[in-house]
Amino acid sequence: MKMTAKEYGRRVRHAGPSSALGRDCLWAFCTGGSICLLGELLRRRFLAAGLEAELAGTLTSCSLILLSAVLTTLGWYQKLAARAGAGTLVPITGFANAVVSAAIEFKTEGRVSGTGAKMFLLAGPVIVYGTFAAVVYGVVLWAMQAAGLPLPS
């Protein structure tokens, strides 16, 4: 039996599960926004305690990393990620979750060859890329300075 693309599409929509893409996107947006809001609240709390802005930002990042690592260890971050999807991939918490998850998964293989080596499966490329990007940026700034060009601020 021959069928047109339109008929095929109609049958697929009828037979397949309904997609809640809009609801999922909204939930991911709200979850990621809540994580960012928590970071901002922490930063303001540190500033209100009289800390310098740079130190407050550093402590905020460290606090979010620690919170993500603890929640991952307890198994709660994975449950949140299963529900919120990409909303939990806010860079700092998502990266901490990825590193801690790998460390937990391979702890049975030993501290060095398991936890120590495997937790950098994901972190390794990010660290290498960050280091390479910093070197390239430094060389560009050095070349601009050597040529007498104004440096970006």
Side-chain angles (χ1 to χ4, degrees), residues 53-132:
E54 187 173 333
L55 180 58
T58 301
L59 288 175
T60 300
S61 296
C62 291
S63 299
L64 288 174
I65 289 169
L66 178 65
L67 182 62
S68 176
V70 169
L71 291 177
T72 299
T73 302
L74 296 173
W76 297 349
Y77 200 91
Q78 290 84 342
K79 290 177 184 175
L80 177 63
R83 177 83 169 98
T88 57
L89 294 178
V90 175
I92 200 162
T93 57
F95 187 69
N97 172 47
V99 172
V100 173
S101 293
I104 291 170
E105 183 177 344
F106 292 102
K107 73 179 178 181
T108 58
E109 294 181 23
R111 293 199 185 273
V112 174
S113 61
T115 302
K118 303 296 184 183
M119 73 180 185
F120 290 107
L121 284 177
L122 176 69
V126 174
I127 292 169
V128 168
Y129 175 77
T131 303
F132 179 72

Side-chain angles (χ1 to χ4, degrees), residues 2-26:
K2 285 265 195 186
M3 76 173 75
T4 65
K6 201 180 250 187
E7 174 64 17
Y8 178 76
R10 186 188 66 75
R11 287 187 179 196
V12 167
R13 280 190 304 277
H14 179 69
S18 62
S19 173
L21 182 63
R23 186 187 71 217
D24 290 345
C25 288
L26 181 64

